[in-house]
Amino acid sequence: MPLSSEPSSLTLYHRLMSAVMLSPEDRARRVKVLLFDVDGVLTNGEITIIPNGAPNTELKGVEVKSFSAHDGLGISLARLAGLKIGFVTKRNSQVVAIRARDLKIDHVYQGQAHKMEAIAKILVAEGCTLDELAYVGDDIIDLPVMRRVGFAIATANARPQVKAAAHYTTPMSGGFGAGRDAIDFILNARGILDEMIERYLDAENPESQRADIGVGNM
């Protein structure tokens, strides 16, 4: 009788247990694409809206967000290490579009109420698997993604449910270096953080210049 090509229940069990028992470092070493929520992850979650319309006219406003320069430089290190970077956020914001442009972000998806739709497109574009994705989130809208990616990261300011779903929680809060914490952890797990720092600091290294986000855009 020919052997079945389908894995046995015991094999599936061992695969499942192996996945469950992976350390955060093991998961980080598999990452090829690092994705971020924006509000509360790359910012502190506050949204300041300054009215700019005249009385009795259509309500308008200028949206203000603050980002961390530490995160910006970290993205240069991640790019130098060969990681692809993406933003996946529910809100539509011109501020985020500007930040993404300045940081040369590979994948930018705004207006994503159901973020797995964007994740599916990124998987196709990069030719990778969910196991090779890391995602940094802070609120419950991030849970569907965090429950499926290979490396789920919560910020220090994340909701309890998000921290419970995470494989790693950053020491810093969103907007205060949480993104850099995530990047440093991944590069450290791969044993290349110090190497990437030195390559970034090498003014003669053309790779460093290509990976850099540019003067004034940290």
Side-chain angles (χ1 to χ4, degrees), residues 8-26:
S8 67
S9 297
L10 183 60
T11 300
L12 290 173
Y13 171 78
H14 284 305
R15 287 180 183 175
L16 177 61
M17 291 306 297
S18 295
V20 170
M21 295 172 64
L22 285 175
S23 69
E25 289 80 7
D26 290 334

Side-chain angles (χ1 to χ4, degrees), residues 34-38 41-42 71 75 78 84-89 105 107 109 115 134-137 142 153 178-180 182-183:
L34 174 58
L35 305 175
F36 296 93
D37 176 35
V38 177
V41 171
L42 296 176
D71 292 346
I75 286 172
K84 295 297 183 71
I85 307 295
F87 293 170
V88 183
T89 177
I105 300 303
H107 302 282
Y109 287 88
K115 296 187 177 185
Y135 182 89
V136 189
D142 300 310
I153 303 171
R180 181 65 167 274
I183 292 166

Side-chain angles (χ1 to χ4, degrees), residues 81-100:
L83 293 178
K84 295 297 183 71
I85 307 295
F87 293 170
V88 183
T89 177
K90 181 179 179 181
R91 288 179 62 84
N92 282 301
S93 169
Q94 186 179 13
V95 177
V96 173
I98 293 170
R99 183 64 170 164

Side-chain angles (χ1 to χ4, degrees), residues 8-9 21 27 34-35 46 50 68 127 147 150 182-183 212 218:
S8 67
S9 297
M21 295 172 64
R27 293 176 179 277
L34 174 58
L35 305 175
E46 294 182 359
I50 302 173
S68 169
R147 288 169 176 168
I183 292 166
D212 198 8
M218 288 195 299

Side-chain angles (χ1 to χ4, degrees), residues 115-116 135 137-149 152 159-166:
K115 296 187 177 185
M116 281 306 301
Y135 182 89
D138 72 307
D139 213 334
I140 58 171
I141 192 173
D142 300 310
L143 286 175
V145 177
M146 296 181 68
R147 288 169 176 168
R148 296 191 64 184
V149 297
R159 306 307 300 170
Q161 298 90 339
V162 175
K163 289 183 178 180

